[in-house]
Amino acid sequence: MSKTRYKNQKESNEAIAKAYIEDNYTNSQNKLLLVSKANYGKRSSNVCYSAVDDKGMNFYEFNNNAEQNLMLIERYEWADFSSVTIDHSIAKSVFTFVGHGENRDITIEVKGKEVEQVIRNHSSMEVNVVKRPVWTKVLGYRSQTTWKMFMASTVYTLILLFILHPLLPAATHNFIMGLALLILFLSIIGLFVGLIKPKWVLPKFKVKTRKRVLFSYLYLIISCFFIAVAFTNGESTSTPASTQVSSSQNSVAVSSKKDGADSSKQKVEKNDSDKTAKEEKRQKAEEQAAKEEAKQKAEEQAAKEEAKQKAEEQAAKEEAKRKAEEQAAKEEAKQKAEEQAAKEEAKQKAQEQAAKEEAEQKAEEQAAKEEAERKAQEQAAKEEAERKAEEQAAKQEAERKAQQQAASQQSTPSSSTSNSGNYKPFENDPSDDQQSNMSCSGQIKGNKNSKIYHVPGGAYYDRTQDNIVWFCSEADAQAAGYRKSQR
């Protein structure tokens, strides 16, 4: 859409933008709902326009000197964002879109609430509207900048004063002027006190700083000064009228007196005496008024001194209270530190005691283990010694039998020659290995050579065949000097 067409029609920039955007949406599947000015950030100094449709928002940059007035710079889809925070003010609305990527801040002018309604109706985003007090939406208070609020408050006060001054009756002007002067005086005192101790003069403010004291009390001083000046001028303007009335009355009185003087001399003398009495009365009234004014000034001075003394006493009390609180805080911190140190010391002692007990337990376990190993070694050595003794006895027994066998073989030829066939070979007497010569049925088998006895079921019970000694019980075997086999 060319620039020449709109120049000839002398349309405004907003009309040009709207016409271009409507043409752009002609072939689009999205439904255009509204067009508004927007602030797209600091990317460009040109004016931007937002086109809001049912699925998202297009942003166009306007350049009146270009061949193409509007250029699409970016589009936002509602589906790309999960939530939006909206801050409405009187002249604009700030939208903060939150999505999977970075957040987007868009400022919509005039039609912010309509855009909010579109988002609620055509998207699934969570909409959060910032709730602000009404006064924060007024010009000068939206940014919450201190100097801007100070200037706005001063201007609004002067406008209100300009409106109320002609509406208020003249009888109230003196009262308003006196009240303004009193507040002005107290504000000056409050300013000096607040620059020393801000918390004394800002009881209901959350932020109690010297900067806040300066702006707040300067506002009061300037406002009260203008109020006093305005209503003082009103009083002075009303004074000449009353002066003219009194002067006219005096002229009438003088003329009447002159007429009376011409008519009667006695009446003149009477008027002179009345005038003298009036002068004396007026003089006494003036003296009385002077006394009352002096008394009032003295009372005001006493009240000021008393207020100053009370302020000093209050300051001293606050200082003493603060020092007491600091001292209490220090003592409490010291007590907590001592308690913490005692807890740590007790914990350390408990850990040392536990470590000591654990070391003792490990030492006892180690000693028990060593004792068990020693006993096992002794038992193994004892069993090894018994096994070797039995093997030695068995070996000696085998050697004895071999010797007997050899001796019997050697004696066989000689006996055969001398007896000529009547010789019988040597045989071990079985009665030595039987229990027929015992009065009891002995079950304990002893080895005469090794002095070891075996019980039924023992490992060497059946192996022991020679040099057997039978016992009726283990007690009999032990009494005979035998010891029990370990197996």
Side-chain angles (χ1 to χ4, degrees):
M1 186 171 292
S2 65
K3 177 177 65 176
T4 307
R5 168 188 168 185
Y6 293 111
K7 274 192 174 182
N8 296 333
Q9 296 176 359
K10 296 182 180 180
E11 293 179 327
S12 65
N13 292 338
E14 188 171 358
I16 297 173
K18 188 173 181 181
Y20 178 86
I21 292 171
E22 288 176 352
D23 289 345
N24 192 24
Y25 268 87
T26 301
N27 299 324
S28 176
Q29 297 179 354
N30 301 330
K31 182 180 179 181
L32 179 63
L33 299 176
L34 60 94
V35 177
S36 176
K37 277 188 178 182
N39 185 358
Y40 189 66
K42 297 182 179 179
R43 295 189 179 184
S44 175
S45 59
N46 295 325
V47 179
C48 293
Y49 290 90
S50 64
V52 181
D53 54 63
D54 55 344
K55 294 183 180 178
M57 182 185 299
N58 287 342
F59 285 92
Y60 299 89
E61 184 180 40
F62 181 84
N63 188 353
N64 197 28
N65 297 321
E67 183 65 26
Q68 187 175 358
N69 298 108
L70 283 178
M71 181 178 64
L72 178 65
I73 54 178
E74 193 165 359
R75 174 173 174 79
Y76 293 156
E77 295 287 343
W78 303 138
D80 294 338
F81 302 101
S82 59
S83 65
V84 59
T85 301
I86 307 173
D87 187 4
H88 291 298
S89 61
I90 294 177
K92 62 182 179 179
S93 298
V94 179
F95 291 76
T96 302
F97 293 93
V98 179
H100 301 293
E102 60 178 351
N103 298 346
R104 297 286 186 175
D105 291 334
I106 304 298
T107 301
I108 304 295
E109 297 182 4
V110 181
K111 298 182 180 180
K113 292 188 177 180
E114 296 179 14
V115 177
E116 176 190 350
Q117 193 62 34
V118 171
I119 293 173
R120 291 183 183 274
N121 295 336
H122 298 278
S123 72
S124 59
M125 281 189 289
E126 180 184 355
V127 180
N128 302 313
V129 179
V130 177
K131 295 182 179 180
R132 291 179 176 269
V134 178
W135 63 270
T136 59
K137 298 182 180 180
V138 180
L139 183 64
Y141 294 93
R142 292 177 294 182
S143 63
Q144 297 293 297
T145 306
T146 306
W147 70 270
K148 289 184 179 180
M149 292 192 294
F150 170 76
M151 295 298 295
S153 299
T154 305
V155 172
Y156 293 150
T157 302
L158 293 177
I159 294 173
L160 183 62
L161 179 62
F162 179 77
I163 295 172
L164 293 178
H165 182 271
L167 298 178
L168 294 174
T172 61
H173 288 188
N174 291 335
F175 173 76
I176 294 174
M177 183 188 67
L179 182 62
L181 291 175
L182 177 61
I183 296 175
L184 175 64
F185 176 74
L186 295 177
S187 299
I188 294 173
I189 296 176
L191 177 62
F192 285 106
V193 174
L195 292 177
I196 300 172
K197 290 291 182 180
K199 63 180 182 180
W200 290 354
V201 295
L202 297 174
K204 295 185 179 181
F205 286 86
K206 293 182 180 180
V207 180
K208 300 179 180 181
T209 60
R210 290 182 174 86
K211 183 178 179 181
R212 177 60 63 87
V213 171
L214 181 63
F215 281 108
S216 300
Y217 281 86
L218 274 180
Y219 162 71
L220 288 176
I221 292 171
I222 294 173
S223 300
C224 292
F225 174 76
F226 281 116
I227 292 172
V229 170
F231 285 97
T232 301
N233 292 335
E235 183 183 5
S236 62
T237 54
S238 62
T239 303
S242 61
T243 306
Q244 291 176 2
V245 173
S246 60
S247 61
S248 61
Q249 290 177 356
N250 291 332
S251 62
V252 173
V254 169
S255 61
S256 63
K257 286 182 180 179
K258 287 181 179 180
D259 294 336
D262 295 335
S263 63
S264 177
K265 184 178 180 180
Q266 292 179 354
K267 190 175 181 179
V268 171
E269 292 177 355
K270 185 178 181 180
N271 287 336
D272 290 339
S273 61
D274 292 339
K275 187 176 180 179
T276 303
K278 288 180 180 180
E279 287 291 333
E280 291 178 356
K281 188 176 181 180
R282 185 179 63 80
Q283 187 176 1
K284 289 181 180 179
E286 288 178 355
E287 291 177 356
Q288 184 67 23
K291 290 180 180 179
E292 291 179 356
E293 185 177 358
K295 183 178 179 181
Q296 185 178 0
K297 288 183 179 180
E299 290 176 353
E300 290 178 355
Q301 184 66 24
K304 290 179 182 178
E305 293 178 356
E306 185 178 358
K308 184 178 179 181
Q309 185 179 0
K310 287 183 179 179
E312 292 176 353
E313 291 176 356
Q314 183 67 20
K317 288 181 181 179
E318 291 287 339
E319 184 68 18
K321 184 178 179 181
R322 184 183 63 80
K323 289 183 179 179
E325 291 175 353
E326 291 178 355
Q327 184 66 22
K330 288 181 181 179
E331 292 178 355
E332 185 177 358
K334 184 178 179 181
Q335 184 179 1
K336 287 183 178 179
E338 292 176 353
E339 292 177 355
Q340 183 67 21
K343 287 181 180 179
E344 291 179 356
E345 185 177 359
K347 184 178 179 181
Q348 184 178 2
K349 288 183 179 179
Q351 291 177 352
E352 292 177 355
Q353 183 66 21
K356 186 176 180 181
E357 292 177 355
E358 185 177 358
E360 291 178 355
Q361 184 179 1
K362 288 183 179 179
E364 291 176 356
E365 291 177 355
Q366 184 66 21
K369 186 176 180 181
E370 293 177 355
E371 181 68 18
E373 290 178 355
R374 184 182 62 78
K375 288 183 179 180
Q377 291 175 358
E378 290 178 354
Q379 182 69 19
K382 189 175 181 181
E383 291 178 356
E384 183 68 19
E386 290 179 357
R387 185 182 64 77
K388 288 182 179 180
E390 291 176 355
E391 290 178 354
Q392 184 67 22
K395 186 177 180 181
Q396 292 176 359
E397 183 66 21
E399 290 177 355
R400 186 181 64 77
K401 285 185 178 182
Q403 290 175 1
Q404 288 179 359
Q405 184 69 24
S408 64
Q409 289 178 358
Q410 291 177 1
S411 61
T412 300
S414 60
S415 60
S416 61
T417 55
S418 60
N419 295 324
S420 64
N422 293 326
Y423 175 77
K424 292 182 179 179
F426 174 79
E427 294 179 2
N428 185 27
D429 188 358
S431 63
D432 294 339
D433 297 334
Q434 299 294 328
Q435 41 188 321
S436 60
N437 59 347
M438 297 185 62
S439 59
C440 65
S441 178
Q443 296 296 325
I444 306 302
K445 185 186 292 186
N447 190 313
K448 188 184 295 183
N449 293 332
S450 64
K451 293 295 183 179
I452 297 174
Y453 69 88
H454 306 275
V455 297
Y460 296 100
Y461 187 83
D462 294 333
R463 296 182 185 180
T464 304
Q465 302 293 334
D466 297 320
N467 299 321
I468 298 173
V469 180
W470 297 93
F471 298 98
C472 295
S473 64
E474 292 188 35
D476 294 340
Q478 293 174 0
Y482 285 77
R483 63 181 178 83
K484 185 178 181 179
S485 174
Q486 299 296 326
R487 298 185 180 181

